[in-house]
Amino acid sequence: MKKILSTLLLASITTFSFSQSCCDVAFASNDGNMAAFASDKAFIASHLAPIVYKHISEVGGTMIQFDTPDGKKANGYVVKAKKKSDKWLFVYQEWWGLNDHIKRQADVFYNDLGGNVNVLALDMYDGKVAADASEAGKMMQGVVEARLENIVKGGLDYAGKKAKVANVGWCFGGGWSLKSAIIGGKQTVGSVMYYGMPVKDVEKLKTLNCDVLGLFATEQWISKEVIEEFAANMKTAGKGINYKIFDAAHAFANPSNPKYDEAKAKEAYGMAIEYLKKKLL
């Protein structure tokens, strides 16, 4: 047991963004369509392939299927709370897909929330997982917004009408953390955007039922100007936002990246988990 706890403690510090070579781009549209950037050579070059890793859950995490409003099925990785609970954390993947790094991170969140919250990592690519940036770009270009929205809605239906849901994600998933918060309406209690692309539409932001925590880097895609515009839009919408732009390169929280910054990664994760504890515990 001590070995398990030590492993998960280390993971909570360093693996929040273990595969954080993700999708940091400026606004492509009010809906956050990032497909146009998948062919950007600089964008692709900034994404290192995730380290090969096979996850074996020590907390009962398992893959499931659930119905979606479009009449299809969706996949997810779920870890149920130790006792029946209506509190949920939705975890959103990077552009690689729902890989084993994300499953491991779902377990880390579960443990750091004391096993008191259900954790669901949604599969936004319907079973596809990329191993390199070129493949990931093609997958991201191939997604259909309506399908992604239906996956989120299916996840909310699976959690139940009484569920209170917080969201967290990285880059592609960071954007979907915010979009999920909008879709979730009154069921939403929080959103952590880790390198996420903001929604620009003020009318959509007005429908948020929660504030937002943004964790950003010093980079060319989601730039200081983009982040400040988002903060201004949130103010116009009458919604709260707390954010920090870390003095670090893209993917600074990814241990497999040459520019990984352990101290800043730990600080960012500390902000994220403290926010989620306040929303869910």
Side-chain angles (χ1 to χ4, degrees), residues 2-18:
K2 289 183 178 180
K3 183 178 180 181
I4 292 172
L5 292 175
S6 297
T7 300
L8 289 169
L9 178 59
L10 177 62
S12 71
I13 294 174
T14 63
T15 68
F16 175 67
S17 301
F18 195 92

Side-chain angles (χ1 to χ4, degrees), residues 49-237:
I51 294 173
V52 176
Y53 166 74
K54 181 64 176 177
H55 182 62
I56 299 175
S57 180
E58 297 177 335
V59 293
T62 185
M63 289 297 297
I64 60 166
Q65 281 195 328
F66 52 87
D67 296 324
T68 55
D70 54 2
K72 300 179 181 179
K73 297 280 188 180
N75 310 306
Y77 175 83
V78 69
V79 191
K80 289 292 187 70
K82 295 176 182 177
K83 296 181 180 179
K84 188 175 181 179
S85 173
D86 289 323
K87 296 179 179 180
W88 289 77
L89 175 64
F90 281 12
V91 178
Y92 288 94
Q93 68 196 46
E94 302 162 327
W95 77 333
W96 306 108
L98 178 54
N99 61 17
D100 279 12
H101 291 291
I102 301 301
K103 294 174 185 177
R104 173 171 59 180
Q105 190 55 49
D107 284 6
V108 170
F109 280 124
Y110 176 82
N111 277 282
D112 284 352
L113 292 169
N116 297 309
V117 175
N118 303 292
V119 179
L120 175 63
L122 293 95
D123 177 3
M124 304 298 277
Y125 282 177
D126 285 318
K128 297 179 181 178
V129 177
D132 60 62
S134 177
E135 185 181 11
K138 291 177 182 178
M139 288 182 184
M140 189 172 68
Q141 285 178 319
V143 296
V144 177
E145 190 83 3
R147 173 57 182 162
L148 301 182
E149 291 176 357
N150 275 302
I151 292 171
V152 173
K153 291 175 182 177
L156 290 167
D157 288 341
Y158 176 79
K161 293 181 179 180
K162 295 182 179 180
K164 298 300 180 183
V165 182
N167 307 276
V168 62
W170 306 266
C171 307
F172 170 80
W176 273 98
S177 172
L178 178 61
K179 291 179 183 180
S180 179
I182 292 171
I183 293 170
K186 292 182 179 180
Q187 287 187 265
T188 302
V189 297
S191 173
V192 179
M193 298 178 64
Y194 214 101
Y195 302 167
M197 181 171 61
V199 170
K200 191 173 183 179
D201 190 332
V202 173
E203 294 305 311
K204 291 182 179 180
L205 296 176
K206 285 180 179 179
T207 67
L208 279 168
N209 190 55
C210 67
D211 62 353
V212 173
L213 173 64
L215 304 170
F216 300 103
T218 305
E219 55 173 287
Q220 69 188 77
W221 293 290
I222 298 183
S223 64
K224 184 173 182 287
E225 291 73 23
V226 168
I227 297 163
E228 289 178 344
E229 181 184 13
F230 175 45
N233 287 339
M234 287 286 284
K235 183 177 181 180
T236 299

